[in-house]
């Protein structure tokens, strides 16, 4: 096995036994990037020099016996998370020259842990999209099938882990942007509970929904990254002041007696038969392992998409008002007055999907429409939240598919925004309720495309999700399959 | 029609955006399709339901008013497209 193919915990053990150096691991990963990145386009910015410096620093730390779980481990960060001194574009023309003067909290924590940063990953512009096709810099490609999308919006982070261009990565999830690309690329992706991870330095899309989380090749690595990034932090007043457990303690290969819910409504929502079959098989595996499977009901889930595509654009239209060509980013030239400068800058600086959502949000919040759209959606959001409250009285975690289909072809849905939005139909309810959710590989389509099983937990019940995911992974082989790059 | 081309013009101005004729045409059609889909929500009677604006009900996170370090002026201006003597410079506002 090549170094670049390994998991963070495997590499940690090799580093601890001094069988390998972080510099060797980092060089192996950088060489891998050189070999495959031309076909994948997972990255917007590569930082090999910084990576090698961090690797040397990590080696010095390990020599002194000061090794943490991610010390010396090469990872990638979605380009919506601020990295001091390293360009952070959000996949947008309007920020294509933006160099943050500060680190996001998660970046700071990873630096302190001694991690190695290989680069910033591609994404749909401002995290709006399900395919990376909305990136100003062009789409990423799915390592399992290069003419297909890797999912989105964190498609670059998912593709980079699947293509072995980094060991783990960070993404952000507002309506499924970690879980859906994880499913498309056959890796593990987790959205923690809203408030579990500080959003300070995460460029805001929809602030009541956004959350940062990890991508990895197995469940143990997800727990290890979560251990580093989770926790309260005063610079994000919505981060929650609860103790952070050691998530690796949840990694128990035993689901006997656990009660797992399967929503009755899932089957009604136009799920690809191969996806439905793989998820049914996964449920059967967990049942055989001793979990008790019960039917639960989420009667308002069919309204979640409409709720989300009102609330998220409303919040986005407000958050994205800051891009005015004055303080940072792109400014259009040759304009006549201030209003003209604002309009030209934003017209030229934003892509079509971002403009569509700003328009939707501005319209839905404008005088005369607020009650009919934003307020109405916020009331239905309560009903969706209550559905989950009732379901979690009957079960400890919920099982459902992550995405309705395996990865679709690049270009297939770009002209029909509503069709594209339907990719998120199974991931959105979790964000609206603030819940944690995880996707992990549970099968492959006949064409060899990965299929994801989604596990949702109650608020701050990440450990239950990790336990189910870990036990499932231990008893199946799906996560061992690699794309033939 | 949920939203007319005139309304698109008005909303674009509110959002400090602008569109060319063909782009406007396309946006109007797409926005109408999306807004029609939103009509689904009208099926539900929500008169007795309180809205959720945040998944976790938190209000007023308070802290001491302390002086902490912040980014220096030159760093804060370092990404600006047009800077003059420590200020952001913008096109003329007043005639």
């Amino acid at each position: 096995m090549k170094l670049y193919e390994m998991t963070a915990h495997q590499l940690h053990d090799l580093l601890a036994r001094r069988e390998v150096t972080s510099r060797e691991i980092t060089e192996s990963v950088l060489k891998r990037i050189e070999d495959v990145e031309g076909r994948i386009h997972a990255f917007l910015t590569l930082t090999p020099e910084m990576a090698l410096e961090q690797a040397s620093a990590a080696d010095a730390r390990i020599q002194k016996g000061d090794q943490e779980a991610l010390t010396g481990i090469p990872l990638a960060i979605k380009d919506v998370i601020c990295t001091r001194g390293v360009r952070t574009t959000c996949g947008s023309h309007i920020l294509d020259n933006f160099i943050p003067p500060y680190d996001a909290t998660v970046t700071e924590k990873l630096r302190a842990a001694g991690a190695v940063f290989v680069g910033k990953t591609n994404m749909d512009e401002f995290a709006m999209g399900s395919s990376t096709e909305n990136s100003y810099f062009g789409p990423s490609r799915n390592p399992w099938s290069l003419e297909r999308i890797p999912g989105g919006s964190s498609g670059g982070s998912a593709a980079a882990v699947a293509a072995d261009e980094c060991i783990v990565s960070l993404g952000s999830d507002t309506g499924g942007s970690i879980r859906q690309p994880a499913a498309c690329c056959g890796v593990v992706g987790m959205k923690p509970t809203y408030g579990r991870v500080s959003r300070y330095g995460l460029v805001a899309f929809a602030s009541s929904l956004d959350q940062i989380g990890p991508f990895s090749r197995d469940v143990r690595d997800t727990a290890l990254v979560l251990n580093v990034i989770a926790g309260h932090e005063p610079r994000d007043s919505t981060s929650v002041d609860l103790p952070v457990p050691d998530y690796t303690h949840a990694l128990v290969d035993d689901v006997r007696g656990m009660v797992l819910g399967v929503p009755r409504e899932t089957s009604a929502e136009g799920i690809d038969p191969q996806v439905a079959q793989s998820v049914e098989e996964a449920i059967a595996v967990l049942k055989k392992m001793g979990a008790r499977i019960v039917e639960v009901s989420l009667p308002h889930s069919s309204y979640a998409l409409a709720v989300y595509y009102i609330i998220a654009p409303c919040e986005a239209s407000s958050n994205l008002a800051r891009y005015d060509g004055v303080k940072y980013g792109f400014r259009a030239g040759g304009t006549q007055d201030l209003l003209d400068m604002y309009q030209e800058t934003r017209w030229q600086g934003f892509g079509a999907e971002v403009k569509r959502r700003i328009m939707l949000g501005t319209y839905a919040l404008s005088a005369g429409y607020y009650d009919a759209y934003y307020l109405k959606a916020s009331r239905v959001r309560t009903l969706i939240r209550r559905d989950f409250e009732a379901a979690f009285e009957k079960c400890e975690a919920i099982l459902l598919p992550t995405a309705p289909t395996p990865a679709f072809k690049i270009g297939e849905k770009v002209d029909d925004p509503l069709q594209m939005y339907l990719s998120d139909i199974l991931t959105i309810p979790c964000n609206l309720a603030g819940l944690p959710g995880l996707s992990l590989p549970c099968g492959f389509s006949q064409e060899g495309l990965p299929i994801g099983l989604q596990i949702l937990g109650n608020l701050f019940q990440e450990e239950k999700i990790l336990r189910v995911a870990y036990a499932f992974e231990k008893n199946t082989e799906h996560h061992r399959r690699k794309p033939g790059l | 029609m949920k939203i007319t081309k005139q309304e698109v013009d008005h909303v674009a101005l509110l959002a400090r955006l602008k569109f060319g004729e063909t782009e406007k045409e396309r946006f109007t059609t797409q926005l109408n399709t999306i807004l029609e889909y939103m009509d689904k929500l009208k099926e539900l009677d929500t008169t007795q339901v309180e809205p959720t604006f945040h998944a976790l009900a938190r209000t007023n996170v308070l802290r001491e008013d302390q002086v902490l370090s912040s980014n220096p002026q030159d760093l804060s201006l370092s990404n600006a497209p047009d800077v003059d003597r420590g200020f952001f410079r913008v096109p003329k506002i007043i005639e």
Side-chain angles (χ1 to χ4, degrees):
Chain A
M1 206 178 194
K2 303 274 197 331
L3 291 173
Y4 61 73
E5 292 177 315
M6 293 187 179
T7 61
H9 59 88
Q10 286 170 333
L11 292 167
H12 173 88
D13 293 348
L14 291 180
L15 286 165
R17 294 200 300 266
R18 310 285 202 273
E19 287 174 28
V20 69
T21 63
S22 172
R23 199 174 172 93
E24 285 163 348
I25 298 169
T26 304
E27 281 169 353
S28 164
V29 168
L30 293 174
K31 176 70 175 54
R32 173 68 176 175
I33 292 173
E34 227 171 80
D35 290 345
V36 300
E37 175 60 6
R39 281 173 280 161
I40 305 294
H41 189 230
F43 289 92
L44 295 180
T45 303
L46 286 166
T47 53
E49 284 159 26
M50 179 167 69
L52 290 170
E53 270 173 40
Q54 288 173 315
S56 299
D59 284 329
R61 249 179 93 159
I62 295 165
Q63 278 300 323
K64 281 188 280 177
D66 177 23
Q67 185 189 8
E68 294 176 35
L70 297 181
T71 306
I73 305 297
L75 53 82
I77 298 176
K78 186 180 182 182
D79 213 19
V80 70
I81 296 171
C82 285
T83 41
R84 180 169 33 85
V86 177
R87 188 174 81 132
T88 299
T89 68
C90 296
S92 182
H93 181 31
I94 213 158
L95 282 179
D96 62 9
N97 59 2
F98 176 62
I99 297 176
Y102 64 91
D103 270 336
T105 303
V106 291
T107 313
E108 232 172 53
K109 286 183 164 183
L110 288 170
R111 272 192 218 274
V116 171
F117 298 170
V118 297
K120 304 295 296 286
T121 57
N122 195 18
M123 55 183 283
D124 287 294
E125 185 176 4
F126 286 104
M128 298 177 191
S130 311
S131 70
T132 70
E133 290 166 294
N134 295 332
S135 169
Y136 173 69
F137 305 94
S140 300
R141 293 172 181 278
N142 191 315
W144 295 87
S145 168
L146 295 175
E147 78 269 21
R148 289 177 190 271
I149 58 109
S153 67
S154 313
S157 290
V161 170
D164 296 332
E165 294 185 85
C166 59
I167 308 302
V168 293
S169 65
L170 288 187
S172 65
D173 190 316
T174 305
S177 281
I178 291 174
R179 289 158 290 150
Q180 184 258 8
C184 289
C185 290
V187 297
V188 183
M190 185 174 205
K191 173 218 172 284
T193 307
Y194 183 81
R196 182 74 288 191
V197 177
S198 168
R199 292 181 294 111
Y200 177 77
L202 168 70
V203 178
F205 159 17
S207 306
S208 83
L209 304 164
D210 298 341
Q211 189 64 191
I212 297 170
F215 287 95
S216 64
R217 295 202 264 270
D218 72 6
V219 177
R220 179 171 295 277
D221 276 7
T222 289
L224 291 171
V225 178
L226 195 57
N227 275 351
V228 175
I229 63 174
H232 174 250
E233 208 258 338
R235 290 177 299 184
D236 171 7
S237 60
T238 63
S239 76
V240 175
D241 200 358
L242 283 175
V244 179
D246 179 345
Y247 289 106
T248 60
H249 291 165
L251 307 177
V252 184
D253 179 10
D254 183 5
V255 290
R256 278 174 298 171
M258 274 189 96
V259 185
L260 305 177
V262 176
R264 164 187 330 152
E265 292 79 9
T266 311
S267 52
E269 287 176 34
I271 311 296
D272 177 287
Q274 296 194 69
V275 171
Q277 197 195 328
S278 287
V279 170
E280 269 173 42
E281 284 166 13
I283 293 167
V285 167
L286 287 161
K287 191 174 176 181
K288 207 171 152 206
M289 288 163 56
R292 196 152 71 78
I293 308 295
V294 297
E295 188 181 77
V296 293
S297 179
L298 302 169
H300 297 95
S301 53
S302 62
Y303 299 97
L305 195 71
V307 170
Y308 177 85
Y309 278 98
I310 293 170
I311 290 175
C314 283
E315 295 186 15
S317 72
S318 169
N319 274 326
L320 273 62
R322 72 191 65 176
Y323 304 104
D324 56 3
V326 175
K327 301 177 293 297
Y328 38 71
F330 166 78
R331 176 191 289 191
T335 54
Q336 289 155 19
D337 55 24
L338 191 65
L339 179 63
D340 189 31
M341 188 279 279
Y342 287 153
Q343 287 183 296
E344 275 292 332
T345 295
R346 289 164 63 80
W347 177 60
Q348 293 178 35
F350 291 133
E353 180 61 26
V354 172
K355 284 189 266 198
R356 203 152 36 229
R357 296 209 198 176
I358 292 174
M359 289 292 287
L360 256 179
T362 307
Y363 174 77
L365 289 173
S366 66
Y369 297 105
Y370 176 89
D371 284 5
Y373 290 104
Y374 182 69
L375 194 59
K376 179 78 187 185
S378 301
R379 290 186 198 280
V380 181
R381 186 176 180 182
T382 303
L383 299 177
I384 290 165
R385 204 162 48 80
R386 285 185 193 157
D387 284 354
F388 280 111
E389 282 169 11
F392 283 119
E393 279 175 18
K394 288 204 224 157
C395 67
E396 297 168 82
I398 293 174
L399 307 172
L400 72 167
T402 308
T405 66
F408 47 89
K409 289 201 167 124
I410 291 173
E412 200 177 312
K413 298 187 180 181
V414 279
D415 293 326
D416 189 345
L418 200 54
Q419 273 305 310
M420 186 71 91
Y421 296 172
L422 287 167
S423 315
D424 304 333
I425 196 153
L426 298 165
T427 45
I428 278 174
C430 157
N431 299 77
L432 292 171
L435 305 171
L438 175 147
S439 177
L440 85 167
C442 73
F444 289 84
S445 71
Q446 280 160 6
E447 292 149 299
L449 300 169
I451 293 168
L453 169 70
Q454 187 177 196
I455 308 171
L456 303 179
N458 209 346
L459 297 167
F460 299 101
Q461 299 281 305
E462 279 83 359
E463 290 155 290
K464 291 216 164 133
I465 296 177
L466 289 167
R467 180 173 157 197
V468 176
Y470 180 78
F472 179 78
E473 187 183 78
K474 278 279 154 199
N475 287 273
T476 52
E477 295 292 321
H478 311 293
H479 64 291
R480 294 188 199 285
R481 223 154 120 176
K482 290 264 185 191
L485 267 175
Chain B
M1 281 283 267
K2 291 261 163 203
I3 180 167
T4 62
K5 268 207 299 187
Q6 286 70 30
E7 279 180 296
V8 167
D9 276 331
H10 173 65
V11 175
L13 180 64
L14 291 177
R16 297 295 184 260
L17 287 167
K18 60 189 254 183
F19 298 103
E21 249 341 281
T22 36
E23 213 182 359
K24 197 191 304 171
E25 202 77 56
R26 201 177 67 235
F27 262 72
T28 310
T29 316
Q30 287 174 337
L31 290 176
N32 272 302
T33 310
I34 297 165
L35 290 170
E36 273 161 31
Y37 178 80
M38 306 307 182
D39 274 349
K40 237 175 122 60
L41 298 183
K42 288 190 188 151
E43 295 165 11
L44 296 170
D45 177 5
T46 52
T47 42
Q48 302 300 314
V49 184
E50 286 299 307
T52 296
F53 298 118
H54 238 258
L56 308 176
R58 305 193 79 208
T59 49
N60 296 345
V61 178
L62 301 174
R63 61 166 175 81
E64 290 301 308
D65 189 13
Q66 292 169 306
V67 178
L68 299 170
S69 63
S70 55
N71 280 330
Q73 187 186 34
D74 57 336
L75 202 58
S76 297
L77 291 166
S78 62
N79 277 287
D82 194 1
V83 169
D84 185 13
R85 284 163 286 180
F87 291 95
F88 298 110
R89 187 159 58 190
V90 296
K92 200 168 160 187
I93 300 173
I94 305 161
E95 283 304 316

